[in-house]
Structure formats: structure tokens, C-alpha cells
Amino acid sequence: MVEKINQLTVRVAGIVPMNGGFVLMHRKNVIRNKDYQEYYTFPGGHLEGGETLEEGVIREIKEEFGIHVKVVRKLYELENSRVNMKEYFFLCEYVDGEFGTGDGEEFSNNPEYKDSGEYIPEIVGREKISDLILLPLEIKEKFVQDLQERKI
């Protein structure tokens, strides 16, 4: 079930520093995205019934990467009126777990995801972030600036 606030779809994502870099989902061979068939994104997804924003981001990171995190603070918000969605991006801290052991639906070979391409968990060094196609681009710009200014 997708949670809505004021008729907006709500998505949460985590920015997780780990091993000198950041955990990102590398997406390859994405058929359903005409503009980008290969890109990176912060781990996250839609809220499930009754979840807080923080609970949603913790659950999504566990499902996608197999790691437990705690939320430190909200960093960014992005409203996309084109798709009627609001996204919240949280700085998170790694707690424990084995990276790369996620068991979310995107790893299940469910035919529903056939046009979504490959989901590859990666830790990307902070010096390489600015060279990536990291979506959404508006958040990438803020994130790269914060990295350069050592705010993160």
C-alpha cells in the first residue's frame, strides 16, 4: 500500500555513509526509464501503511541492502508535481548487518520488475559521486555541494 499525504505519493530515501563512501543502488538495463537506462539512486521507496518517514527509510534500507541503520536527520525534501510525489532524504548511520544481503522484492525475479532492470547494491567513494548519474538530479546537486563543503 502506498501512503499518501495531501494526495501526494510519499517516498523516503537514505543517505548512508559506509566504508569511506556511500551506499547507492546501481540500476542497469532499465527498460521503463526512457531517459536513463543506467544510473544510481539512494536506497528507498514508498511508505507502508502507518509508517513514519523514519520507519520507512529504515525498512527500505534493510530490504535493499541487508543493513540496519538509524536515522540521524532529514537532509532534503523534493516535491515533484509532474508525478505528484514528495520525497524525503535522510542522513542515516550504519548500525550493523552484512552489506549486499537485501531481500526486497526487486531481487525476487518477480515479473513485475522485468522492465526495471538490474538492482546492484554498491558502496561508491565520495570522490566519485559527482561523476555519476545520480537520481534525482536536483538532490545530487545539493548532495555534491554538501560533500564539497564537508557538511556530510
Side-chain angles (χ1 to χ4, degrees), residues 27-68:
R27 302 286 308 281
K28 285 184 167 182
N29 305 313
V30 181
I31 296 169
R32 68 181 186 155
N33 188 335
K34 292 179 180 78
D35 295 326
Y36 300 102
Q37 284 77 50
E38 182 172 355
Y39 59 91
Y40 290 79
T41 189
F42 295 107
H46 299 289
L47 293 182
E48 293 183 358
E51 281 183 322
T52 66
L53 298 173
E54 292 82 358
E55 290 167 342
V57 76
I58 289 168
R59 176 188 49 76
E60 285 287 345
I61 291 170
K62 173 72 170 108
E63 288 176 3
E64 293 184 9
F65 293 103
I67 60 174
H68 296 99

Side-chain angles (χ1 to χ4, degrees), residues 27-32 106 113-119:
R27 302 286 308 281
K28 285 184 167 182
N29 305 313
V30 181
I31 296 169
R32 68 181 186 155
E106 53 271 9
Y113 289 92
K114 71 177 180 154
D115 291 343
S116 297
E118 300 171 61
Y119 290 77

Side-chain angles (χ1 to χ4, degrees), residues 7-151:
Q7 302 303 318
L8 290 175
T9 300
V10 175
R11 184 179 185 280
V12 292
I15 297 174
V16 185
M18 189 173 184
N19 297 339
F22 291 88
V23 302
L24 297 174
M25 188 63 76
H26 188 174
R27 302 286 308 281
K28 285 184 167 182
N29 305 313
V30 181
I31 296 169
R32 68 181 186 155
N33 188 335
K34 292 179 180 78
D35 295 326
Y36 300 102
Q37 284 77 50
E38 182 172 355
Y39 59 91
Y40 290 79
T41 189
F42 295 107
H46 299 289
L47 293 182
E48 293 183 358
E51 281 183 322
T52 66
L53 298 173
E54 292 82 358
E55 290 167 342
V57 76
I58 289 168
R59 176 188 49 76
E60 285 287 345
I61 291 170
K62 173 72 170 108
E63 288 176 3
E64 293 184 9
F65 293 103
I67 60 174
H68 296 99
V69 298
K70 70 177 184 178
V71 173
V72 176
R73 70 181 185 274
K74 182 176 69 172
L75 290 176
Y76 314 115
E77 289 183 26
L78 178 65
E79 192 162 332
N80 186 335
S81 57
R82 184 177 55 83
V83 293
N84 205 30
M85 181 168 54
K86 185 151 189 177
E87 297 181 80
Y88 298 88
F89 296 81
F90 292 89
L91 178 63
C92 298
E93 181 181 308
Y94 168 79
V95 175
D96 63 18
E98 184 180 342
F99 180 79
T101 60
D103 60 0
E105 288 185 9
E106 53 271 9
F107 301 113
S108 69
N109 293 323
N110 181 334
E112 179 180 325
Y113 289 92
K114 71 177 180 154
D115 291 343
S116 297
E118 300 171 61
Y119 290 77
I120 306 163
E122 291 184 15
I123 299 173
V124 177
R126 64 188 305 127
E127 72 283 351
K128 295 181 180 178
I129 298 288
S130 61
D131 297 330
L132 302 176
I133 297 174
L134 177 59
L135 301 180
L137 295 174
E138 301 95 320
I139 298 302
K140 175 192 175 183
E141 289 175 17
K142 293 177 183 182
F143 180 59
V144 167
Q145 182 175 350
D146 286 347
L147 286 176
Q148 290 170 345
E149 295 173 3
R150 297 285 185 202
K151 292 181 180 178

